[in-house]
Amino acid sequence: MIDAPVLREKARALGFAACGVARCRPMAEQEPRLRRWIDSGRHAGMEYMNRNRCVRLDPARLAEGCRSVVVTLTAYPPVAPIKGRPHPVAAYAQQPDYHGAIKPRLYQLLDALRENHPEARGRACVDSAPILEKAWAVEAGLGWIGRNRLLINPDSGSYHWIGILLTDLEFSAYDTSYAKDGCGNCRRCLDACPTAALSAEDGLDARRCISYHTLSNRRLIPNEVVEKSEGRLIGCDACQVVCPHNARRLAEAPAADPAFDLTSEEWLTLDETGFFDRFGHTPLAEKGLEKIRQTVSQQLEIFQKE
Ligand code: SF4
Ligand code: SF4
């Protein structure tokens, strides 16, 4: 049994902005929402959401003997719009690749917790494992899921990555699920979404979402999405930038890094070596130069027709 304050102290020492812990359980109450979302096709091409549905609802299927779900937040700096237009590269993609940075720290946290429990087991999950990260963050008391479908922490807003450690360790106390709806009557993200991908009732329609298409969709982006993407190439922060819970961090944000603000011509003439020299350490590398060029060419084609 580990003292919950010890967990938080060790997480803080490792640089996590926030940490909470929930008792592991199947999240059966999430099943109808997940099923509705998938059955209506709003998951777009994310077929893995359907394939892994059962595992996704029960972390014990991911990590045998799991008793606790430790949830961490790692903050990254927002990026303000530049010269009155959205930045073509979303804030998170301007940072070093987060998978490589967060996973080792989660295992360091496990090692630290093992001090008096050397037999303890754990599995770190950052983005790629089938787990309901945002729902677990709520369960661990770290915030609520906003109308933009992002986890919003009352202190630090939504510019963070969620990292999860599934472990067979038990804690002296578990956090209380975050019960408050911090969105209230606000609808700013719904109104700001360039493609109307968000709805108060049905959440996100990934088929319309610029983030989904520029980050996860390996196929050609539909022209109607490119038309409304306002020059975005990787990700979209429109529903974060307007959120009042991000206002303080946006006001403190550093100036946009010009290294990510290339002209269409610069993107089209950049070679693979130059691309990896400049962006090899960021999530752009995983996306690949070819996909970025394809989107730039689509934007040019549409713009030239107008
Ligand atoms: S990421 Fe962009 S396109 Fe997707 S829901 Fe948010 S504002 Fe809309
Ligand atoms: S913009 Fe408003 S409605 Fe949207 S997530 Fe933020 S607080 Fe909630």
Side-chain angles (χ1 to χ4, degrees):
M1 184 88 64
I2 292 191
D3 269 351
V6 169
L7 166 69
R8 256 178 277 280
E9 194 184 299
K10 289 184 186 298
R12 226 186 342 260
L14 285 166
F16 291 111
C19 177
V21 61
R23 198 181 284 283
C24 184
R25 65 177 181 85
M27 280 196 153
E29 77 282 5
Q30 298 285 340
E31 202 274 337
R33 186 195 61 81
L34 185 61
R35 182 160 33 85
R36 261 199 321 276
W37 190 63
I38 293 169
D39 290 351
S40 65
R42 298 166 83 84
H43 65 313
M46 293 179 272
E47 280 313 317
Y48 53 86
M49 295 296 296
N50 196 22
R51 274 198 306 277
N52 299 329
R53 202 188 306 192
C54 296
V55 180
R56 201 169 289 276
L57 292 163
D58 184 4
R61 291 183 183 228
L62 265 185
E64 208 187 319
C66 179
R67 292 196 184 99
S68 306
V69 181
V70 175
V71 188
T72 61
L73 300 184
T74 301
Y76 62 87
V79 168
I82 35 171
K83 300 169 204 150
R85 63 181 164 85
H87 202 292
V89 178
Y92 98 92
Q94 299 193 22
Q95 299 301 311
D97 183 43
Y98 59 99
H99 299 97
I102 298 175
K103 234 180 200 184
R105 275 199 291 137
L106 287 169
Y107 281 115
Q108 279 176 273
L109 181 59
L110 177 63
D111 282 343
L113 297 174
R114 271 178 178 150
E115 255 170 32
N116 299 319
H117 305 269
E119 74 297 343
R121 290 176 299 158
R123 173 174 174 178
C125 308
V126 183
D127 204 22
S128 51
I131 184 163
L132 298 171
E133 286 136 334
K134 288 177 273 184
W136 280 107
V138 175
E139 184 96 348
L142 295 181
W144 74 99
I145 299 175
R147 295 204 171 100
N148 56 8
R149 303 308 299 161
L150 299 172
L151 188 274
I152 302 182
N153 178 271
D155 297 322
S156 59
S158 63
Y159 288 93
H160 46 235
W161 294 296
I162 301 175
I164 289 187
L165 181 65
L166 304 175
T167 175
D168 57 1
L169 283 164
E170 282 198 281
F171 291 82
S172 57
Y174 287 89
D175 286 291
T176 308
S177 179
Y178 196 92
K180 196 177 150 203
D181 169 20
C183 286
N185 294 325
C186 178
R187 292 180 51 92
R188 286 189 206 181
C189 53
L190 307 187
D191 298 338
C193 176
T195 53
L198 291 168
S199 120
E201 298 73 33
D202 300 319
L204 174 73
D205 186 343
R207 293 170 298 192
R208 294 164 172 256
C209 177
I210 298 162
S211 265
Y212 162 71
H213 281 294
T214 54
L215 293 166
S216 306
N217 176 12
R218 298 252 159 222
R219 300 194 181 145
L220 199 66
I221 303 177
N223 272 351
E224 56 272 27
V225 173
V226 179
E227 269 167 25
K228 293 179 179 161
S229 64
E230 299 167 339
R232 293 176 177 91
L233 291 173
I234 295 284
C236 167
D237 286 331
C239 53
Q240 297 206 84
V241 165
V242 295
C243 180
H245 299 281
N246 286 325
R248 181 183 55 80
R249 293 197 57 213
L250 265 162
E252 296 166 353
D257 184 348
F260 292 88
D261 189 24
L262 276 65
T263 63
S264 303
E265 199 189 335
E266 285 169 330
W267 281 117
L268 292 176
T269 53
L270 190 64
D271 63 16
E272 293 286 353
T273 308
F275 176 73
F276 278 96
D277 280 350
R278 289 175 80 153
F279 306 119
H281 62 297
T282 72
L284 271 71
E286 206 267 320
K287 194 73 271 173
L289 179 58
E290 202 178 319
K291 171 80 182 182
I292 296 173
R293 279 206 196 129
Q294 189 184 60
T295 311
V296 171
S297 301
Q298 267 185 288
Q299 287 175 349
L300 285 174
E301 205 176 304
I302 289 167
F303 179 73
Q304 277 159 7
K305 271 190 207 154
E306 281 174 357

